[in-house]
Amino acid sequence: MTAQIIDGKAIAKDVREEVAAGVEELRAKTGKVPGLAVVLVGEDPASQTYVRNKGRAADKCGMFSRQENRPADISQEELDALVDELNADPDIHGILVQLPLPKHLNATEVNDRIRPEKDVDGFHPINVGLLVSGRPCLKPCTPSGVMVMLERSGLTLKGAEAVIVGRSLIVGKPMAQLLTAAHATVTVCHSRTQDLPGVCRRADILVAATGQAEMIKKDWVKPGAAVIDVGISFVERDGKFKQVGDVLYDEVKEVAGWITPNPGGVGPMTIAMLMANTLEAAKNQLGV
Ligand code: GUN
């Protein structure tokens, strides 16, 4: 038996349509649409693609979007000043600074400077703290996209054993909070975890977020488990660069009950949830 595919592209399209309807409703009520500013420093090709896709998605949802490109040698002071300007702009409800930033810049400092109400990435310590406290907040896009995929696939989270591989601020940590809030029993693994394959094999829901190409093998997966592949790596195959995830897809799909394709799984969901966050941020700021 092969796994059921969780079609991130299709679920993301549904979410974006729901957001577009919400944008229209907001416009009818207030005369305003959500505004998203995406800041890109430097010319990393992958980041350029992500940022372009985020802007396009915002436009398609009926939002206002603004892309701010800055050279790789921008100073911390100049980048801080740009964040200050966007913080003060009443037409901008969401601010996202694409990561990674060049090494001479302090990403934490930039991030902490974004007004928490405009922090559509959910990385500001205020939002991180609210999430841990179980209070309303803007939540990181990738893990909230994973939650929507799990929920809309009809998977039972209550009482499920969830194993997350990776403990980043962007995915692993918030993923653990969201799954815990949904009543799963959560284990977070990382590079020092002993017997990683054995821990992964306990999972009813396995979320891989390491960035290590195809590290999750067939014998790491409990038969019937839901496997969510967050990683994005590029490997050379037959002279071409191919996107792969953290999961060795062709063999894991033979044992898993559900699996996300990569590409076409978590990636599109991240962008859809960014749209949802931008709408939520705008509604909050406009008092709707
Ligand atoms: N780089 C990779 N993922 C993300 C993300 O979710 N937000 C931002 N700002 N940068 C990223």
Side-chain angles (χ1 to χ4, degrees):
M1 227 198 51
T2 64
Q4 282 198 54
I5 290 170
I6 303 178
D7 187 346
K9 230 166 135 176
I11 302 171
K13 183 166 176 278
D14 292 345
V15 171
R16 288 198 315 269
E17 284 170 7
E18 290 157 26
V19 172
V23 169
E24 183 45 38
E25 202 178 310
L26 183 69
R27 198 191 56 74
K29 262 191 202 141
T30 66
K32 297 205 163 84
V33 296
L36 173 67
V38 182
V39 177
L40 174 63
V41 178
E43 289 173 6
D44 175 69
S47 290
Q48 281 175 332
T49 305
Y50 300 147
V51 164
R52 195 181 324 117
N53 290 340
K54 288 169 183 177
R56 270 193 199 145
D59 297 341
K60 272 171 74 180
C61 286
M63 298 181 185
F64 164 67
S65 82
R66 174 168 154 192
Q67 187 177 330
E68 294 288 344
N69 294 321
R70 292 295 182 275
D73 64 356
I74 187 175
S75 69
Q76 184 79 42
E77 292 69 31
E78 287 167 315
L79 186 56
D80 288 350
L82 173 60
V83 170
D84 292 346
E85 181 198 326
L86 297 169
N87 274 338
D89 187 335
D91 294 329
I92 295 297
H93 307 97
I95 303 170
L96 178 148
V97 178
Q98 185 66 28
L99 302 174
L101 288 173
K103 284 202 176 59
H104 70 281
L105 296 169
N106 183 336
T108 306
E109 183 180 325
V110 175
N111 215 61
D112 289 3
R113 210 168 177 101
I114 296 172
R115 273 177 54 194
E117 308 84 57
K118 296 193 177 189
D119 168 37
V120 284
D121 261 328
F123 298 161
H124 191 285
I126 292 273
N127 285 316
V128 174
L130 290 171
L131 178 61
V132 176
S133 311
R135 290 159 63 178
C137 62
L138 290 165
K139 300 173 185 76
C141 303
T142 299
S144 32
V146 172
M147 293 305 290
V148 171
M149 293 174 102
L150 293 171
E151 286 156 6
R152 295 198 184 184
S153 302
L155 287 154
T156 305
L157 303 178
K158 191 170 158 183
E161 283 273 354
V163 174
I164 301 160
V165 190
R167 55 176 157 181
S168 67
L169 175 72
I170 297 185
V171 185
K173 285 194 181 96
M175 189 80 252
Q177 294 302 328
L178 292 170
L179 284 166
T180 304
H183 313 296
T185 303
V186 177
T187 304
V188 180
C189 302
H190 45 78
S191 53
R192 319 296 153 84
T193 295
Q194 291 181 30
D195 186 23
L196 182 58
V199 180
C200 289
R201 261 194 306 274
R202 298 208 301 253
D204 303 309
I205 295 163
L206 180 60
V207 181
T210 68
Q212 300 291 314
E214 300 180 321
M215 77 178 288
I216 310 279
K217 317 283 191 243
K218 185 178 179 171
D219 63 346
W220 295 29
V221 176
K222 175 157 108 181
V227 180
I228 310 295
D229 188 358
V230 178
I232 298 180
S233 304
F234 293 90
V235 295
E236 207 177 335
R237 292 272 152 82
D238 310 319
K240 281 191 217 126
F241 280 97
K242 182 180 172 237
Q243 181 179 322
V244 299
D246 294 352
V247 174
L248 189 50
Y249 184 84
D250 285 338
E251 63 172 63
V252 171
K253 77 175 190 320
E254 302 301 326
V255 288
W258 288 267
I259 194 165
T260 60
N262 196 333
V266 176
M269 289 303 297
T270 297
I271 297 187
M273 299 317 289
L274 174 65
M275 300 303 112
N277 275 358
T278 306
L279 174 60
E280 187 184 328
K283 283 165 87 171
N284 289 340
Q285 284 160 63
L286 295 167
V288 174

